[in-house]
Amino acid sequence: MKNSDNISVAILATDGFEQSELIKPKQALESAGFNVDIISLKKGDITAWDEDNWGEKVAVDLTLDEATPSKYAGLVLPGGLFNPDKLRQEKSAVKFIQAFSEFGNKRPIAAICHGPWLLIEAQLVEGKTLTSFPSIKTDLKNAGADWIDLKVAVDDNLITSRNPNDLDAFNKAIIEALQQDNIN
């Protein structure tokens, strides 16, 4: 098991992320000793979506223009409906995600709820077994993924989960993947 001190993890999000899907993984990672940076399209704060209304504001640590993928041992992609839909239209966000599978050790990419839309856009799902919020099941299948209805699915460096009810299993899988000896 690897010591998590001085290992950084990126969370990529923008306005409209599902509040619990960013806050709880961030807290779990920090509690496990990881450094966490919130990366977004703009400086300042981004605003969460909390079930059926706007939620908390979260401070952005770095913009995509300032962030260097090689600095991070892993990437978390929160869901929500608005967040991944906006990010998948941004070329810099898609390239940032793709970089995590281009490193020799294929660093973990964890996506929850509608977050796997970003994995589709980054062309990372073909032949992979993934889960997601049920409404994007067909999108994943059409992109070549095998969709399963489980709390968490791990396939190579991809970790996916269905919704906020699965956050405990999702967070555990992320931390386990980051603590593997093969992560640099």
Side-chain angles (χ1 to χ4, degrees):
M1 187 184 277
K2 199 167 199 188
N3 184 344
S4 55
D5 293 342
N6 299 317
I7 296 176
S8 294
V9 178
I11 298 179
L12 178 60
T14 193
D15 291 315
F17 64 89
E18 183 64 40
Q19 185 167 295
S20 63
E21 295 173 2
L22 183 149
I23 301 293
K24 289 187 178 183
K26 182 178 189 294
Q27 290 171 340
L29 287 162
E30 289 174 341
S31 291
F34 295 97
N35 301 317
V36 179
D37 285 343
I38 305 299
I39 298 170
S40 192
L41 303 171
K42 62 178 185 168
K43 293 180 185 238
D45 295 328
I46 53 176
T47 306
W49 187 257
D50 188 16
E51 297 182 21
D52 59 359
N53 210 336
W54 292 104
E56 294 178 26
K57 291 190 179 293
V58 173
V60 171
D61 295 303
L62 296 166
T63 65
L64 273 166
D65 293 339
E66 299 167 327
T68 305
S70 61
K71 173 186 173 189
Y72 299 100
L75 174 63
V76 177
L77 303 170
L81 186 59
F82 308 120
N83 171 60
D85 192 47
K86 180 165 180 141
L87 287 173
R88 68 184 174 157
Q89 297 175 60
E90 297 289 335
K91 287 181 184 175
S92 60
V94 174
K95 286 181 182 179
F96 188 82
I97 295 163
Q98 288 171 328
F100 285 82
S101 276
E102 293 169 358
F103 296 121
N105 59 7
K106 290 190 172 186
R107 297 170 188 201
I109 303 171
I112 187 168
C113 192
H114 288 78
W117 263 342
L118 293 163
L119 302 178
I120 293 170
E121 198 63 35
Q123 300 178 348
L124 300 176
V125 304
E126 188 171 351
K128 301 292 185 183
T129 299
L130 306 172
T131 193
S132 67
F133 195 74
S135 68
I136 68 167
K137 170 184 176 178
T138 301
D139 297 340
L140 284 163
K141 290 173 89 172
N142 286 343
D146 294 317
W147 189 89
I148 56 173
D149 186 14
L150 292 175
K151 286 183 180 184
V152 67
V154 179
D155 190 333
D156 196 18
N157 68 318
L158 300 181
I159 301 164
T160 51
S161 202
R162 301 174 301 190
N163 60 54
N165 295 331
D166 301 332
L167 278 165
D168 289 342
F170 182 66
N171 294 339
K172 181 179 180 202
I174 296 167
I175 291 166
E176 286 175 359
L178 288 165
Q179 291 175 331
Q180 295 297 316
D181 289 335
N182 62 350
I183 301 298
N184 292 331

